[in-house]
Amino acid sequence: MDIDIIVVLVYFLFLISLGWVFRSAASNTSEYFRGGGRMLWWMVGSSAFMMALSAMTFTGLMGKALTSGMSVAIVFFANALGYFCNYLFFAAKARQMRVISPLQGVRMRLGKVNEQVFTWANVPLSVLQAAIWLNGLAVFTSAVVGVPLEQTIIGAGLVVLFMSLVGGSWAVIASDFMQMIIITVMTFVAAMVAIWKSGGVGNLLEVGLPTEQLIGDGYSYSYLFFGWFICIFVKQFFSTNNMVDSYRFIASKDTKNARKAALLACSLMIIGPLIWFLPAWYVAGNYPDVTTWGLDGLGDKVADATYYIFVSREMPVGMVGLMLAAMFAATMSSMDSALNRNAGIILKSVYEPYFCKNFSEQHLMMASKVLTAVFGIVIIITGLFLTSLKNFGLFDLMMLVGTLVGFPVLIPSIMCFFIRKTPDWAGWGTILVGMGVSAFIAFGVTPQLIESVLGLDTPLSAREFSEMKSVTLGVIGHMGITLPFFVLSQFFYKEPSAERAAEINKFFSNVDTEVVVEETESSILADNKQHDMLGKMLITASVFLASLALVPNPMWGRSLFLIVAGVVGLIGYILLRTKKRAQQPQTVNAAA
């Protein structure tokens, strides 16, 4: 069997064992869906970072780096700014909601109707997104290493399902941490090899970057690019700072850990693009003719194999397996979120309040696992179904639906923290208005309309129109119409019923009150358990990585595997050495 396939299979076994190790960590729904709100910052921060990645990071975006230069990195820097705003404000507010599922916060702030609207606007779309990412990963894997499409979808899907089902949020977030470590180390080593083989960063950028380094090809009007540049930062701010996507931060041990987690995600998102795209630019300079890559199975998406070409032709034998493992890790971290988060949302926002009001915690745990299994099976089946429809532009359809529904949902889910007196209908009303704005942009805007309004002499290029339609016009439309609708709704505010007033007051009382957990013997033991389990798992992973040095390679290639193993093992050792000593119990300040 090919060494790269063996590496991926061993990685799968590792994830399965991770779920098994954490099988007894969740004894109730709070533990199962948010780790009991006891997770340390380095686990939560790495998980928040991994949520922003998928296989597309190492496929489609690497291909875009061939022609678009540094502009492709702007999305990640915009994410970094979003996470920095998390650090300044929203990570703390999310943790201080003191909820198990983020939609419980929606119910308190905007009422039961909005809870259901937000639920059914988000859950189906995230399931479809996970299935499309899984399908896209399978298409790529099938083309480059010959693994059948269906086997990849079923295999990867079942691994994530088992891990999420058995270990709950503990296994999900722990796996995200380990995947973050491996991805960061592997991509850093790849970047260093690209620099070494180019004779320095300057030579690499001079040969590999397009002539217009920032904008890249496809723009006749530079001011349209800078409009997109500004709007992408606005879009990513809303995408990373809202009540719906607070899933990871509500698992933090306390407010301080939530802030530190956001700062870690911000730092990783700044560092990532600085190293991820160097191999892609190396390929642009040294393998510019994609027709010679021998990957006809990818059709017109052959540029998606940019990172694969670098790793397979410039890195030692066995490194492709680690690259594929990194791609699986990025995609599976998004899929496990769809499983664990969506199961928690349906349990807490649909099943428990409407169908199961008097059952025990044991019954709710069983229901949680059934829902997790159902979502896992649905994602796998959907991924398999999409294999027969891959030529119908499903990804574009998903992006379109996401724009129609996704951005309008983000506006009330963040603005409701700042504007306190709004009627409950402002939530779903804003979504309807936003969908109208999105529908006009999606179906009514044409290149000719834009050229006429802006008075352009030269027709828009395909890239200019695509980026204006997907980002610039959407942000301008929603900032100019949808957001003001929510803001102006406060002029129609009326005092709610006593029951609703109590819920709203509780919401703001929670988010305004810091979660502070004093160190007690039990909290120290919980912290040490995280250090101990993850430290040992990283050291175990480092042993396997070191064994790859036995694969026949030049000495420099064997050394690379030892370096990767050494860094991973060192991080595991540091985790074990930084465990705290138990002390006498103290008072726990502030309910979690």
Side-chain angles (χ1 to χ4, degrees), residues 62-63 65-66 194 198 204 207-209 276-290 292-293 302-314:
M62 293 298 170
L66 283 174
S198 299
L204 190 157
V207 174
L209 275 179
W276 291 338
F277 297 112
L278 293 180
W281 293 328
Y282 179 93
V283 171
N286 293 275
Y287 303 96
D289 187 0
V290 298
T292 64
W293 291 2
V302 66
D304 288 358
T306 298
Y307 206 80
Y308 167 79
I309 288 297
F310 175 81
V311 175
S312 62
R313 299 190 181 184
E314 303 295 338

Side-chain angles (χ1 to χ4, degrees), residues 475-504:
V475 170
I476 292 174
H478 290 304
M479 292 297 100
I481 299 174
T482 312
L483 188 146
F485 177 87
F486 185 85
V487 173
L488 293 174
S489 70
Q490 62 186 313
F491 292 108
F492 299 92
Y493 175 77
K494 295 180 180 179
E495 289 298 326
S497 65
E499 181 182 0
R500 278 294 296 129
E503 289 179 337
I504 295 171

Side-chain angles (χ1 to χ4, degrees), residues 109 415-422 493 504 508 511-512:
R109 175 62 183 87
M415 294 305 298
C416 67
F417 283 91
F418 300 98
I419 301 175
R420 301 197 172 202
K421 291 187 176 182
T422 57
Y493 175 77
I504 295 171
F508 283 113
V511 299
D512 291 339

Side-chain angles (χ1 to χ4, degrees), residues 412-440:
S413 66
I414 184 172
M415 294 305 298
C416 67
F417 283 91
F418 300 98
I419 301 175
R420 301 197 172 202
K421 291 187 176 182
T422 57
D424 284 353
W425 55 260
W428 58 261
T430 300
I431 294 174
L432 288 179
V433 170
M435 290 178 65
V437 172
S438 295
F440 173 76

